[in-house]
Amino acid sequence: MGAIADSWTWLTTGANWAGQSGVWHRLGEHLWFSSVCLVLACLIALPIALYLGHIGKGGALAVNISNIGRAVPTLAVLVLLTLTPLGRQGDLPTIVALVLFAVPPLLTNAYIGMREVDAAVVEAARGMGMSGGQLFLRVELPLAYPLVMTGLRSAAVQVVATATLAAMAGEGGLGRIITNGFNTYNTPQVVAGAVLVAALALLVEALLVLVGRLFDPMRRRSVAAAPAPAAAVVKAV
């Protein structure tokens, strides 16, 4: 309990939030790392997964290859990259390692979401004369959307939590608060840094849940197709 109370004291001390080594600056670095890595992972994984899911070919191979990234520790990849010429490119080793870590859940969930679309619905859409593009945009993608968002949330939380490893390569982020705490034998600072990372991961997941519900195409269709209120019907009559 003493460490928890001391960590709360550390978190509520204004001096720990200001300056180049303060929480606000480290939080900005952490969000930048996480956002860049997540966007790059989405640009790599989602087009491949959605296309392969649409045509129904090659998906199993792509998913198995992407899952190799789960078997390789991110810290090991980061250390190896820092020993290569990439290690002289600033943030690049950290970004590459985190992108490799984020691709598997994005690729797997998006592909499975596309392949689990009801075949009868797809055939009915084709029977109505929909083209391949219309089928993808108006039928398959909306129905696969929940699993796509599940993969996005999983990848985002994993990236936010794992971005603390950037401190191991001498980069910024909330991980620097933890490593500095270890280096100075400051246990409250270590605990406070861990709490900040956990709180940020939970906040990101909650935000993505809200975004997922707001932009759910099936939800918007349900709202648009809802019957008019009884009062409006009576007035119209």
Side-chain angles (χ1 to χ4, degrees):
M1 293 300 293
I4 295 176
D6 291 341
S7 65
W8 175 253
T9 301
W10 192 95
L11 287 170
T12 54
T13 300
N16 294 327
W17 291 74
Q20 292 294 311
S21 298
V23 173
W24 289 121
H25 183 72
R26 296 305 185 192
L27 178 61
E29 293 175 331
H30 202 97
L31 288 174
W32 183 85
F33 274 130
S34 302
S35 300
V36 169
C37 295
L38 189 60
V39 169
L40 290 176
C42 287
L43 292 176
I44 294 170
L46 293 184
I48 296 174
L50 295 176
Y51 175 73
L52 293 178
H54 174 67
I55 64 175
K57 296 179 180 179
L61 177 61
V63 170
N64 289 332
I65 293 175
S66 72
N67 284 336
I68 295 175
R70 294 181 176 178
V72 180
T74 307
L75 180 57
V77 174
L78 179 58
V79 171
L80 290 175
L81 289 175
T82 57
L83 298 177
T84 68
L86 290 178
R88 296 190 292 271
Q89 304 301 318
D91 301 334
L92 194 55
T94 304
I95 292 173
V96 172
L98 291 178
V99 167
L100 293 175
F101 187 60
V103 163
L106 288 166
L107 183 61
T108 302
N109 281 272
Y111 176 76
I112 292 175
M114 291 292 290
R115 297 311 303 155
E116 286 190 351
V117 173
D118 192 339
V121 175
V122 174
E123 289 302 320
R126 287 199 178 104
M128 294 172 61
M130 283 190 180
S131 65
Q134 291 174 323
L135 178 65
F136 173 76
L137 292 174
R138 298 174 61 181
V139 178
E140 292 177 325
L141 188 56
L143 293 176
Y145 179 84
L147 268 179
V148 173
M149 286 303 299
T150 298
L152 179 60
R153 290 199 307 272
S154 177
V157 171
Q158 290 179 14
V159 166
V160 168
T162 312
T164 55
L165 296 177
M168 301 294 183
E171 305 300 334
L174 293 175
R176 288 295 292 271
I177 295 175
I178 298 174
T179 56
N180 289 341
F182 276 119
N183 293 336
T184 59
Y185 302 98
N186 189 340
T187 303
Q189 182 174 337
V190 174
V191 175
V195 168
L196 288 170
V197 173
L200 180 60
L202 292 174
L203 180 62
V204 167
E205 182 170 19
L207 181 62
L208 287 176
V209 168
L210 179 60
V211 170
R213 291 178 179 175
L214 289 176
F215 291 94
D216 188 344
M218 300 306 296
R219 175 179 176 273
R220 293 204 301 271
R221 290 182 185 181
S222 299
V223 172
V233 174
V234 172
K235 184 177 180 180
V237 174

